[in-house]
Amino acid sequence: MIDSMVTLNPPNNLHTKVPVKNFQSPAAFTSTTKITFRPHKFRSATIRATTMQNENEQQPSFGDTLLNNTRKRQVIDAATTSLSNCLSETNLHLTVPALKSKSRGKVRDIYDSEDYLVLVTTDRQSAFDRVLASIPFKGQVLNETSLWWFERTKHIVSNAVVSAPDKNVTIAKKCSVFPVEFVARGFVTGSTDTSLWTVYNKGIRNYCGNVIPDGMVKNQKLPKNILTPTTKAADHDVPVTPDEIIENGLMTRADYVEASEKALRLFEYGQQVALEHGLILVDTKYEFGKANDGSILLIDEVHTPDSSRYWIADSYLERIQNGLEPENVDKEFLRLWFKTHCNPYEDEVLPDAPEDLVCELAWRYIFLYETITKSKFEIQWTEEPIHDRISRNVASALASLK
């Protein structure tokens, strides 16, 4: 257990202390960004740090709350009990007559029902373009987190949500999905092959149409938020520029401009809400589709810990200045564990994730949900099998839509 737990917040991946002048305070973590198709150079940003804490006050930090409290112990115990009862696979097309076919994504199982799609969020955990493990309660917390954000971002862009008949299920309008993921980034960070820090550390300064200045270090805030779009090739994501998207016919110029502007507005709004709750929304991804009336809809998921990276705001500056990784509330520590113990891109068989890391990730996802929504996550305790419950709720919901 000790071997795996030390990776939850790696003590020192930067190997150097960084002067405070190179970093901005959490209060400066949002910005207004304008879309351009030509590579644009960033102006030098004014860097500042602010201290809000009264030296005489000895209160537990936000990070301490994440790592040790009564609620965590409750969730960890529940997750440990539920390790053998995760929702790793569904087959609703065999149990709900109204469903015609099934498509299996890395996390979601998607079913066709004439005018609607039924999206079941499973407990599967993905990274490196493959499934790593199953995490107790993950499907429920991702679905409920997305629904919370979908409701609160309708002023920026309409979404495809029709109803949520089950804790793990969203019924959505059908639309023509753009084959582009809009990855929004506010920091130079990450550990995967397509992460901004990985490519930046290799010397790349022009990435997906963005010219990034020299001299940046890992986990530093970008001068302004950027988009680094990707598209699918086989089973992995491929970075593309806006011009390549247009030239290859993946989107029209008008659709790309509109979707990009909405993506950046969503990201800036998400950063604002996160910071109000003590968190930094570091990066995330959005997917969009086009409805029959020509309008652009937000689909898939929004600001979940699966699609986003979150850091603890009040410890960010101190940890970076001391050469430490930021405290995270996402799946980065699980990515790092796999990168340490195998080659997740090439090894045919991966080692099993340690149970303590699996349960820790369940807690962090629930912690994030409760922190952002200010509501208590409801752990489902029923004797009815999860698949039976979902089948019953979906069948009832589809019947009511006819």
Side-chain angles (χ1 to χ4, degrees), residues 310-331:
Y310 286 90
W311 292 337
I312 303 296
D314 65 8
S315 64
Y316 167 77
L317 280 175
E318 180 180 358
R319 291 184 67 86
I320 296 305
Q321 291 162 25
N322 288 289
L324 303 176
E325 287 287 324
E327 294 179 293
N328 65 72
V329 199
D330 49 55
K331 61 184 179 182

Side-chain angles (χ1 to χ4, degrees), residues 35-265:
I35 296 296
T36 178
F37 281 86
R38 295 180 179 178
H40 54 278
K41 294 186 177 181
F42 296 119
R43 295 176 297 171
S44 297
T46 301
I47 309 299
R48 64 184 186 275
T50 58
T51 302
M52 302 296 292
Q53 185 176 359
N54 187 326
E55 293 182 357
N56 295 324
E57 294 180 359
Q58 297 295 325
Q59 297 180 349
S61 71
F62 199 79
D64 291 338
T65 302
L66 167 65
L67 295 173
N68 186 25
N69 63 43
T70 301
R71 178 60 174 159
K72 175 178 180 176
R73 291 191 289 275
Q74 293 173 345
V75 171
I76 292 290
D77 288 345
T80 302
T81 302
S82 301
L83 282 169
S84 61
N85 193 36
C86 291
L87 185 67
S88 301
E89 193 71 40
T90 67
N91 290 291
L92 298 190
H93 57 304
L94 303 179
T95 59
V96 181
L99 298 180
K100 308 301 180 185
S101 62
K102 171 187 175 181
S103 299
R104 188 181 189 274
K106 289 191 288 287
V107 174
R108 288 169 182 79
D109 291 339
I110 305 171
Y111 297 89
D112 187 291
S113 177
E114 296 183 353
D115 295 331
Y116 305 101
L117 293 177
V118 176
L119 293 83
V120 183
T121 309
T122 72
D123 296 330
R124 297 192 295 264
Q125 180 64 53
S126 71
F128 310 106
D129 293 314
R130 61 195 300 179
V131 175
L132 303 180
S134 291
I135 311 297
F137 318 125
K138 182 197 166 190
Q140 178 186 340
V141 75
L142 288 188
N143 193 54
E144 294 188 337
T145 299
S146 279
L147 290 169
W148 189 89
W149 281 106
F150 274 129
E151 180 64 26
R152 283 156 183 81
T153 55
K154 290 190 295 186
H155 65 290
I156 297 173
V157 57
S158 299
N159 59 66
V161 175
V162 174
S163 66
D166 185 271
K167 297 288 188 181
N168 289 70
V169 178
T170 294
I171 296 179
K173 303 173 188 175
K174 281 187 176 180
C175 61
S176 178
V177 178
F178 295 120
V180 175
E181 289 190 354
F182 290 77
V183 183
R185 302 182 187 274
F187 294 76
V188 182
T189 192
S191 60
T192 64
D193 284 355
T194 57
S195 73
L196 191 54
W197 170 246
T198 300
V199 298
Y200 186 87
N201 199 36
K202 292 177 179 178
I204 297 172
R205 296 295 180 267
N206 189 326
Y207 191 52
C208 298
N210 303 287
V211 176
I212 305 172
D214 289 325
M216 300 195 73
V217 298
K218 189 180 182 186
N219 302 325
Q220 185 174 351
K221 187 185 185 303
L222 289 162
K224 62 175 67 176
N225 293 334
I226 64 172
L227 291 179
T228 59
T230 64
T231 188
K232 291 289 183 184
D235 294 324
H236 61 281
D237 298 334
V238 178
V240 290
T241 67
D243 287 322
E244 288 171 337
I245 291 171
I246 309 308
E247 291 166 3
N248 293 327
L250 301 178
M251 298 179 71
T252 66
R253 182 177 293 269
D255 285 342
Y256 180 81
V257 169
E258 181 178 350
S260 297
E261 290 174 346
K262 292 183 184 301
L264 286 169
R265 288 180 60 198

